[in-house]
Amino acid sequence: MISSPFWPGRAGLAILALAATLLSGCAREEPEIRYRFPAMGTLVEVTIYDFPAEAADEAARDVEDLFLKLQREWDPWEGGALAALNAALAEGGEIRPDDELSGLLARASRISAASGGAFDPAIGRLVKLWGFQDAEHLPEAPPPAGEIEQLLDSTEPLPRIWDEQNGVLTAPANTVIDLGAFAKGVAVDRAIELLRSLGVRHAIVNAGGDLRAIGRHGDRAWKIGVREPRNSGILAAIEIAGDESVFTSGDYERFFDYQGHRYHHILDPRTGYPTQDLVSVTIIGANAGDTDAACTALMVAGHGHWPAVAAALGITQVMVVDREGVIEMTPPMQKRVKILREEPPTIKIREVP
Ligand code: ADP
Ligand code: MG
C-alpha cells in the first residue's frame, strides 16, 4: 500500500482501468515478462521482451525501487526533497534547490512558459484547497469561490518565481510546488534509461496507462490501446514506432460530482477551477516527461486553444475527446491511430498551426 498522502493511492488502484492497455499476444507463448507494482498513485507495469528471464525479473524490480524512491523524493507534502523545498518555501524568500530538483524545475518552467501558463507546477496550494492532494478521500464540494480568488491573487506562476540563470526560487510565502502532472512521466523516462543501461532493448513502462515503449515485440511493433474516457472499453489502438511515449490526461481519473457538475483534478491555473470542455487528451510524444506535461497543458487549453498550445510545445500527434464524445485529432495522429469504437464517432481533423 502506498503510504504517501499525495499520490492518490487507493483511488488509483481501485480504478485500475488502464487508460492504455497492452494489446500484445498471450504472455505464455512469448519470451516476455510482466511485473506490476503500485507506485505514484497508480499501478505500474513493466513489460520486458526477449531478455533472459531472471535478469528481466531483476531489472523490473530495479524499476520498482526507482519508482518508489522518486515517489518519495517528489511528493510535495511529505518525505523527500520536494517536500523539504516546499517546507522552506512556507517562509517565502530565496531558495536554492539541489541539482536534481533544479533540473526538474528548469524543465517544468520552460514547459509552463511555452504553454502560456496552462501547465503550472506552482499550483500546489490550489490543488490542496480543492482537496485533490488527499490520497484517501476525494473532496465532496468545491471550496468557496472567495478562497479560490484570494489564493490566485497571492500565487505566482513557476516561470515568474524560478530564476534559471541563478538556479534560485524566489516565491511568495506558502507557495507549493506540485510536480504531479510531470513527475510520473519523468519517472517513466528514468525507468527506460535504467532498463537500457542493463541491456534491455524491448520494453514498455506503463504507469496506469501512461507509457513509454522501446523496441519491438518480436517481429511486430508494440501495440497499445487508449481507454474510452466514459466507459471501460478501448477507444483506439496505436502501434509504437521504436521509441515513443503515449500519455493521456482525463477528467475521469480523480473527480467528484457536486450538484450535477463534475469537478476533477486538472485545474486551470487562471480560473482556479477544474477544466471544462475536454474529457481527455492523448498525445504521442518522444520522451515521457514532456508528453505528460503536455497532456495536462492541453486539457487546460481546451477546445479553442489546444492546437496553438501543442504547436508551442512542439507536439504534433494529438487526439482529444470532448464532452459530446466528438474526437478531434491532428493529421499526424490520424495516420497513427485506429479507432475501435463500435459506433463510429464524429472525428474532426485539426491542424497544429
Ligand atoms: P494524471 O497524473 O492523473 O495522469 P495529470 O498528469 O494531468 O494527470 O496530472 C494531474 C495532477 O497535476 C493533479 O493531481 C495536480 O496535482 C497537478 N495539476 C493539476 N492541474 C495542473 C496544472 N494546470 N498544471 C500543473 N499541474 C497540475
Ligand atoms: Mg500530465
Side-chain angles (χ1 to χ4, degrees):
M1 198 62 237
I2 296 158
S3 56
S4 149
F6 166 60
W7 306 100
R10 272 193 200 144
L13 284 177
I15 294 168
L16 259 195
L18 306 182
T21 318
L22 256 183
L23 298 177
S24 67
C26 170
R28 269 173 301 155
E29 294 169 9
E30 308 285 2
E32 145 185 315
I33 71 111
R34 287 193 200 180
Y35 181 76
R36 294 178 184 172
F37 56 88
M40 295 191 173
T42 191
L43 190 75
V44 180
E45 182 180 71
V46 181
T47 307
I48 298 175
Y49 188 86
D50 193 21
F51 199 65
E54 220 169 281
D57 200 56
E58 219 169 281
R61 283 169 204 275
D62 289 349
V63 168
E64 178 178 21
D65 291 344
L66 174 66
F67 260 91
L68 296 179
K69 180 182 146 233
L70 298 179
Q71 165 181 294
R72 193 177 57 249
E73 285 302 308
W74 298 343
D75 183 326
W77 305 104
E78 77 177 43
L82 185 57
L85 174 73
N86 284 331
L89 284 174
E91 309 285 315
E94 272 190 23
I95 288 155
R96 186 180 297 276
D98 65 26
D99 285 354
E100 176 164 76
L101 274 183
S102 292
L104 278 180
L105 289 172
R107 242 180 106 187
S109 177
R110 284 195 290 269
I111 298 170
S112 179
S115 76
F119 164 76
D120 181 11
I123 205 178
R125 208 149 52 102
L126 184 65
V127 173
K128 186 165 189 193
L129 179 64
W130 277 90
F132 283 117
Q133 88 297 351
D134 183 343
E136 306 298 327
H137 309 98
L138 276 165
E140 277 167 17
E147 284 186 35
I148 294 176
E149 221 166 283
Q150 231 175 20
L151 197 152
L152 292 187
D153 285 344
S154 62
T155 308
E156 294 281 1
L158 181 61
R160 293 202 30 188
I161 60 177
W162 170 247
D163 172 355
E164 174 126 22
Q165 208 104 46
N166 299 305
V168 168
L169 264 176
T170 311
N174 297 320
T175 297
V176 174
I177 306 292
D178 172 352
L179 295 171
F182 180 47
K184 205 165 55 177
V186 179
V188 168
D189 285 330
R190 297 264 178 102
I192 289 289
E193 273 167 40
L194 172 63
L195 291 175
R196 278 189 165 143
S197 76
L198 296 170
V200 173
R201 297 201 347 252
H202 309 281
I204 298 186
V205 177
N206 179 347
D210 293 330
L211 60 88
R212 179 165 168 184
I214 56 169
R216 296 171 63 77
H217 187 275
D219 56 5
R220 59 180 174 81
W222 289 113
K223 196 173 188 184
I224 60 119
V226 179
R227 202 197 113 164
E228 281 282 7
R230 286 291 181 267
N231 60 56
S232 58
I234 294 177
L235 168 63
I238 295 171
E239 282 195 4
I240 301 289
D243 174 4
E244 288 183 313
S245 299
V246 184
F247 273 63
T248 299
S249 275
D251 69 0
Y252 51 85
E253 304 207 28
R254 252 178 100 61
F255 69 93
F256 63 94
D257 289 309
Y258 180 74
Q259 297 185 344
H261 220 85
R262 175 179 294 220
Y263 296 90
H264 65 98
H265 73 322
I266 300 173
L267 304 172
D268 184 334
R270 292 157 295 195
T271 63
Y273 283 82
T275 66
Q276 297 269 357
D277 49 340
L278 301 180
V279 304
S280 72
V281 173
T282 300
I283 295 176
I284 307 177
N287 70 67
D290 290 350
T291 309
D292 189 359
C295 282
T296 308
L298 267 52
M299 276 293 286
V300 175
H303 247 149
H305 302 288
W306 73 257
V309 174
L313 294 173
I315 301 280
T316 58
Q317 303 179 79
V318 185
M319 172 169 73
V320 314
V321 181
D322 74 11
R323 277 151 65 131
E324 277 70 52
V326 173
I327 295 176
E328 298 188 338
M329 58 175 113
T330 59
M333 180 61 117
Q334 190 189 18
K335 288 193 189 126
R336 299 292 308 278
V337 41
K338 186 167 174 227
I339 300 294
L340 299 178
R341 216 183 253 175
E342 259 174 42
E343 205 168 300
T346 305
I347 297 179
K348 293 185 187 160
I349 303 301
R350 291 186 71 180
E351 304 277 347
V352 165

